[in-house]
Amino acid sequence: MRALGTRLLAPAILVAVGLPFATLGVWSLAERWFFPDLWPQAWGLRAWRYVFATAGGQVAAALVQSVAVATATSLVSVVVALPAARALGLYDFRGKDTISVLLTLPVIVPPLSVAMGLHLWFIRLGLAETFVGVVAVHLTFCLPYAVFVLWGVFSNYNPDFESQARSLGASQLRVWRQVMLPMVMPGLIVAGLFAFLLSWSQYLSTLIIGGGRLTTLPVLLFALMGSGDRPVAAAVSIVFVLPAFVALLFSARHLGGQSLAGVR
Amino acid sequence: MGALSLKNLTIHYGRQPVVADFDLDIRDGEMVSLLGPSGAGKTTILKVVAGLLAPTRGAILIDGQAVTDLPPEKRDAVMIFQKPLLFPFMNVQQNIAFGLKMRGDSGDRRARAVAHILALTRLDGLGRRKVHELSGGQQQRVALARALVLEPAILLMDEPLSNLDANLRQEMRELILGIQSELGITTLFVTHDQAEALMMSQRVALLLEGRLRQVGSPRELYHRPADPDVARFFGGDNFIQGRMRDGVFETDFGPFPVEAVSGNGHRRTATIRPEDIQLVTDTGDQPDHLPGTVKRTRFEGMATRAWVSCPSGELVVLTPRSGLSAGQAVQLRLPPEKIRIFPD
Amino acid sequence: MADPDAGRDARTRRAAGRGSLAVMLLPALMAVVGLFGGGLFLGILQGLGHLPGAGLSRLSATHFSRVWSDPDFLTSFGLTLYIAAVSTLVAAVISVVAALALSRLVNRYRAVHFVFQVPLTVPHLVIAVAVLFMISPAGLLARVAAAAGLIQAPADFPLLVNDRWSIGIILTYVWKEIPFITLMLLAVLQNAGRELLDVGRTLKADAWQRFRHIVLPTIFPALGAASLIVFAYTFGAFEVPYLLGRTYPMTLPVWAYKHYSDIDLLARPEGIATGILIAGMVAAAVVTAQALTRAARKKGIVL
């Protein structure tokens, strides 16, 4: 019984995970697909032509915008989180619990509450409807996430390696660059991926702070869903998940299958 | 009651044979060490006895009842692991009471049994501690208490002392020995440390590369090793080749009269322990003394180890004598009664 | 062969200079306090009726009380709580089973592990779209039902999106969150689980007792943390209920954004106040859950 269950488990997972993507894929290639047929009556590349040609400029712009925002958010998150995580992971000090709570709140409180509050302030600072403004609002939740990931990395990190390198004659700077950085690199990449993906999927806070001016992919996808053109929505959805797949493949290849557990 | 009988155990990991044709009988109340280098298959045997692994062949009997097909929770044997493996989400009392709770004992009975075992393992007052607040030695004592409280027929210990430092280890040995003899629990104790095996147990079973090589009292294994491998494991470095002739073992180091050993005319190997060789520095020529030269020495505290080159070969000598130096001429005497000639 | 923990403690306790700790922590803390704290603070001020340039003298709880007393608020709150609670519960239960099954699946673990990570990286929005295509009245499932002769027209198909029971929303969340929770549990089980289970077996615990007294306490902290994160997310998320929910009643985040983006600018502070209330409720839920856990632990209940 157990053997059968185990043998069925893997295919079950594969189907459950794959079905939504298969659905999107078929829809994106459906030229005509009326109820109640199980299979499209006519196949075609209309949706993809629309995505790449007709609305190519718009989609490309949204793609670039999304990549830019997510990359910037991810880089800033990791760079700012690294020293903080090192302090939290390696040392005990008063106020550590308070800091932990302070960092937990942004992970839990929904971005829309924060974005609404920031909006007016950002308008007055001239940050509304700007790239920097959107990155800043994404940082409110991406940065704490990066700190948590790296905190975990540093609490398993043995600083004796650094002492060893120092005693072998390396300068502090070289120790950081040639001992610490390589050792925490897998964690650093995971943290960066976390932040990237979090920022990448963000819709409402981008909309509030970007004010519709900053059209990232989710903003575009929402607009397309409103138009009711299913094949096009499916095609854009696929474009929207591709970077996530690339990130996953990258992590699987370069991190030796280290799990992305904890990504949301 | 708890006599343990292992019959013809053969164990594979995948296709890899790990233990072959292992037989061992342990009497009720006896403490037996299963000794061997790491990788010899000791822990594997212990896990098979506990029921955590299934043997490919063979049988396990407790008091004559076959338990080979019983799951671990149905066997009257408890295992203590190398790491304490205390449940981190329970305090000391809860850890110790775990097995009693699983068995369905009432809270009252559990409390009484836990209090008793806390005293026995010298953990009084630590019952409400969290496990991560304990020292390594205390943690291992809790693991011991957690097993003992069940009063199992068979206690299985997998190198429970190897994670402790030397002083603590000695203290724990005394504690385990005391409790074992007080409670009379049949115990199979796995260790890679020959000294530990010799001092802890009534009998020692030596396992080399998955095969049982010798079982016997500590003295037997130490002084009467069954074969050169066993001798080597116990630090016997001197091997002497020779031939049996009319009650005399004739070797390059001279003839040694022996009690009647069969096999007249056959080649045999013998060994003599380094501390059994007598070393003299005054050069009165005695007929049974071998001349030699000290090649090098190593001070080992209570004795000095000397590598002595004789015309017929090199011998290792452990002598209480001090002041030896390389190049010094010495005489060795090999007492015939200390020579152990291996059967064919 | 010293106690491994001893070294670890010495390491953590090694003091760094106060100054250097501050330098390391300050950028991150400033960003969080400034942007997140600032956002919440300004949100509260605006919810209390503060308008830029008008000073702080005219703060009042009018907006909050208007939101609070709106009969729709309670309905929205109920709906939001229902969606978040059911999604979290279903995902958590399935995840516990999945994690246990997967932890046994050692040989094919790597491939399954990889496939299991896919949903983690996919935006909620995309899955909401796919779920819509699958279970809407003209969706894949309805077509299968038609092919099986169960229904004739899309209208015969039970409403699973924009529906009374929020099936589509919950399905989207469950699909997305199971891998999140499962992988958190799996990490714990792989680390500590197996050896402790062996100990449990030799200490006479049967299969159910091992699950109740060893597996559950081992995974509980991770399960609790992951479930809280899922609950908080599903309680405060906008996209999925906006896309797959009914127009009335709507979830609190959708309600908040509707007010916030209303052409009537007077509705905006109410939207912000709602956003703050959502934040408060989520924080309260997390604090309560943690307090309950701590209280249970104090009573000696092994969780």
Side-chain angles (χ1 to χ4, degrees):
Chain A
M1 264 315 277
R2 174 175 293 173
L4 183 68
T6 332
R7 222 175 311 147
L8 286 178
L9 185 64
I13 290 172
L14 201 65
V15 169
V17 170
L19 202 57
F21 303 106
T23 309
L24 290 175
V26 172
W27 263 113
S28 77
L29 293 170
E31 203 88 327
R32 235 166 349 99
W33 192 5
F34 298 120
F35 192 85
D37 284 24
L38 271 176
W39 217 231
Q41 287 100 358
W43 299 80
L45 291 171
R46 182 188 64 80
W48 289 103
R49 265 199 303 278
Y50 178 82
V51 166
F52 285 114
T54 320
Q58 207 186 353
V59 173
L63 192 63
V64 169
Q65 196 70 267
S66 270
V67 170
V69 168
T71 308
T73 307
S74 158
L75 282 181
V76 175
S77 295
V78 167
V79 168
V80 176
L82 183 69
R86 189 184 157 93
L88 291 164
L90 291 187
Y91 305 105
D92 271 348
F93 49 89
R94 280 181 51 197
K96 200 166 158 176
D97 289 347
T98 316
I99 292 177
S100 170
V101 172
L102 206 64
L103 291 171
T104 310
L105 279 177
V107 171
I108 284 165
V109 168
L112 92 143
S113 309
V114 181
M116 286 177 184
L118 282 177
H119 190 197
L120 218 56
W121 190 42
F122 273 20
I123 290 176
R124 298 181 67 195
L125 291 173
L127 287 173
E129 304 186 10
T130 68
F131 181 79
V132 176
V134 171
V135 169
V137 78
H138 285 191
L139 276 178
T140 58
F141 45 89
C142 291
L143 174 62
Y145 249 108
V147 175
F148 278 119
V149 174
L150 290 171
W151 185 343
V153 169
F154 274 107
S155 44
N156 291 321
Y157 173 82
N158 187 346
D160 290 346
F161 284 103
E162 294 182 13
S163 313
Q164 176 70 80
R166 286 301 291 268
S167 85
L168 292 170
S171 70
Q172 183 65 69
L173 208 65
R174 283 179 82 95
V175 166
W176 282 338
R177 272 193 28 218
Q178 298 186 347
V179 177
M180 179 184 83
L181 218 51
M183 283 182 73
V184 301
M185 190 48 85
L188 216 57
I189 292 174
V190 169
L193 280 175
F194 268 43
F196 185 94
L197 291 170
L198 271 174
S199 163
W200 180 262
S201 6
Q202 204 38 233
Y203 168 70
L204 193 57
S205 61
T206 314
L207 187 71
I208 290 172
I209 300 296
R213 278 280 186 82
L214 219 87
T215 313
T216 56
L217 271 179
V219 175
L220 182 69
L221 183 55
F222 247 96
L224 285 171
M225 283 309 289
S227 78
D229 188 333
R230 286 195 167 189
V232 169
V236 175
S237 292
I238 291 170
V239 173
F240 192 26
V241 288
L242 277 183
F245 279 144
V246 173
L248 185 64
L249 284 170
F250 174 82
S251 83
R253 271 199 82 154
H254 293 276
L255 304 177
Q258 181 176 346
S259 162
L260 288 180
V263 175
R264 301 195 20 89
Chain B
M1 275 301 284
L4 176 66
S5 196
L6 311 180
K7 301 250 182 264
N8 199 26
L9 284 182
T10 297
I11 308 164
H12 288 73
Y13 264 141
R15 292 207 173 148
Q16 189 82 19
V18 184
V19 174
D21 303 321
F22 184 88
D23 279 290
L24 186 64
D25 283 294
I26 304 178
R27 291 187 304 275
D28 180 32
E30 193 183 19
M31 178 136 172
V32 173
S33 285
L34 184 55
L35 174 67
S38 54
K42 307 177 299 274
T43 300
T44 308
I45 291 174
L46 220 55
K47 285 191 169 174
V48 165
V49 177
L52 297 170
L53 287 175
T56 322
R57 271 196 310 279
I60 300 143
L61 291 86
I62 296 178
D63 286 331
Q65 299 281 323
V67 298
T68 323
D69 298 324
L70 290 182
E73 59 268 29
K74 299 261 169 67
R75 293 186 190 190
D76 202 1
V78 178
M79 180 159 169
I80 296 175
F81 295 77
Q82 195 165 353
K83 289 187 275 175
L85 293 179
L86 302 181
F87 300 116
F89 37 80
M90 298 179 189
N91 65 19
V92 169
Q93 284 177 1
Q94 288 168 328
N95 260 286
I96 295 175
F98 183 88
L100 299 172
K101 195 171 169 186
M102 298 304 106
R103 204 163 67 184
D105 282 10
S106 69
D108 252 19
R109 286 185 63 165
R110 296 204 300 258
R112 253 178 292 132
V114 169
H116 176 244
I117 212 78
L118 279 171
L120 198 63
T121 49
R122 295 189 222 139
L123 287 164
D124 317 68
L126 298 180
R128 294 189 172 276
R129 287 281 180 88
K130 291 185 177 136
V131 293
H132 63 84
E133 295 169 351
L134 302 179
S135 71
Q138 288 169 334
Q139 289 192 6
Q140 200 52 276
R141 288 216 294 277
V142 175
L144 182 67
R146 186 172 64 173
L148 288 173
V149 77
L150 285 175
E151 296 174 10
I154 313 288
L155 185 62
L156 306 166
M157 294 203 241
D158 186 10
E159 311 211 18
L161 310 179
S162 61
N163 284 330
L164 306 177
D165 59 38
N167 293 331
L168 208 53
R169 206 178 307 166
Q170 190 51 39
E171 207 181 301
M172 276 292 281
R173 277 182 199 134
E174 303 296 340
L175 183 74
I176 292 175
L177 279 174
I179 292 174
Q180 199 272 335
S181 65
E182 189 179 329
L183 302 182
I185 296 185
T186 312
T187 305
L188 184 54
F189 183 95
V190 158
T191 178
H192 66 265
D193 180 340
Q194 41 136 326
E196 189 165 278
L198 296 177
M199 70 179 99
M200 289 290 281
S201 42
Q202 287 139 35
R203 280 193 302 148
V204 176
L206 180 69
L207 190 72
L208 295 175
E209 289 168 348
R211 286 186 177 275
L212 184 63
R213 301 297 281 268
Q214 190 173 358
V215 194
S217 72
R219 281 170 206 287
E220 261 170 50
L221 267 82
Y222 193 78
H223 292 299
R224 300 187 58 76
D227 58 51
D229 290 337
V230 177
R232 209 170 280 128
F233 190 83
F234 283 97
D237 295 318
N238 301 317
F239 294 100
I240 299 169
Q241 308 293 326
R243 196 177 286 278
M244 303 297 301
R245 187 150 302 164
D246 302 330
V248 175
F249 184 51
E250 293 182 342
T251 74
D252 295 346
F253 295 90
F256 298 98
V258 290
E259 293 158 38
V261 177
S262 62
N264 218 358
H266 284 267
R267 290 201 65 83
R268 286 288 164 81
T269 302
T271 187
I272 181 165
R273 294 205 55 85
E275 67 269 29
D276 288 340
I277 300 177
Q278 292 164 10
L279 183 145
V280 277
T281 44
D282 48 346
T283 45
D285 253 354
Q286 299 274 345
D288 62 344
H289 281 189
L290 287 167
T293 314
V294 175
K295 303 284 284 184
R296 60 192 174 96
T297 63
R298 188 169 69 206
F299 178 61
E300 291 183 358
M302 287 173 70
T304 299
R305 191 175 294 266
W307 283 261
V308 179
S309 172
C310 300
S312 34
E314 193 180 87
L315 291 172
V316 183
V317 182
L318 200 60
T319 172
R321 200 177 279 273
S322 54
L324 286 177
S325 56
Q328 193 173 351
V330 293
Q331 305 245 347
L332 301 181
R333 193 180 96 86
L334 282 55
E337 70 277 13
K338 302 288 190 190
I339 303 254
R340 160 76 174 155
I341 301 166
F342 297 117
D344 214 1
Chain C
M1 291 284 184
D3 180 358
D5 284 344
R8 201 168 134 48
D9 281 351
R11 218 190 297 150
T12 351
R13 288 200 192 115
R14 175 183 305 165
R18 244 163 225 263
S20 70
L21 272 181
V23 170
M24 289 157 92
L25 286 165
L26 220 52
L29 291 184
M30 270 166 48
V32 170
V33 171
L35 288 170
F36 175 78
L40 278 191
F41 178 71
L42 291 169
I44 293 170
L45 278 189
Q46 292 172 66
L48 290 172
H50 169 70
L51 289 170
L56 294 176
S57 49
R58 308 174 115 208
L59 296 188
S60 78
T62 327
H63 298 299
F64 279 103
S65 67
R66 285 249 292 279
V67 171
W68 204 244
S69 55
D70 190 324
D72 286 351
F73 179 82
L74 213 59
T75 325
S76 284
F77 171 72
L79 177 68
T80 316
L81 188 64
Y82 159 75
I83 291 175
V86 172
S87 303
T88 308
L89 197 69
V90 172
V93 169
I94 297 178
S95 294
V96 170
V97 178
L100 286 178
L102 280 176
S103 69
R104 289 211 184 96
L105 208 84
V106 183
N107 46 344
R108 283 153 85 189
Y109 180 68
R110 285 182 70 92
V112 175
H113 200 230
F114 179 81
V115 173
F116 225 69
Q117 288 180 50
V118 169
L120 296 179
T121 61
V122 178
H124 279 86
L125 186 49
V126 170
I127 293 313
V129 172
V131 164
L132 183 69
F133 289 179
M134 284 192 287
I135 64 169
S136 70
L140 213 55
L141 199 59
R143 289 163 197 259
V144 171
L150 294 173
I151 60 168
Q152 260 72 51
D156 300 341
F157 192 69
L159 202 58
L160 298 179
V161 292
N162 314 113
D163 59 315
R164 183 183 159 80
W165 297 106
S166 306
I167 305 285
I169 302 172
I170 292 170
L171 199 65
T172 306
Y173 285 146
V174 167
W175 187 90
K176 179 78 178 119
E177 311 304 351
I178 285 175
F180 170 70
I181 305 178
T182 302
L183 287 172
M184 298 255 286
L185 300 185
L186 215 46
V188 179
L189 280 178
Q190 296 287 319
N191 277 341
R194 202 152 293 279
E195 285 177 322
L196 288 184
L197 284 178
D198 277 354
V199 173
R201 296 197 79 174
T202 72
L203 292 173
K204 314 305 155 216
D206 62 31
W208 162 251
Q209 288 174 321
R210 291 196 296 275
F211 174 75
R212 169 63 190 88
H213 297 287
I214 301 175
V215 173
L216 223 47
T218 302
I219 62 176
F220 186 81
L223 181 64
S227 300
L228 274 183
I229 290 177
V230 168
F231 179 85
Y233 180 86
T234 48
F235 194 90
F238 171 83
E239 294 100 309
V240 181
Y242 183 76
L243 212 57
L244 301 181
R246 288 200 289 180
T247 42
Y248 180 87
M250 47 187 110
T251 66
L252 280 182
V254 177
W255 206 59
Y257 183 67
K258 203 194 106 206
H259 281 302
Y260 183 78
S261 57
D262 203 306
I263 314 159
D264 177 8
L265 283 179
L266 288 176
R268 177 174 275 223
E270 276 176 40
I272 298 178
T274 312
I276 295 301
L277 286 174
I278 295 172
M281 287 187 264
V282 169
V286 170
V287 169
T288 311
Q290 280 173 341
L292 284 178
T293 312
R294 209 167 300 149
R297 286 246 169 80
K298 235 175 210 155
K299 280 195 174 170
I301 298 170
V302 176
L303 283 172

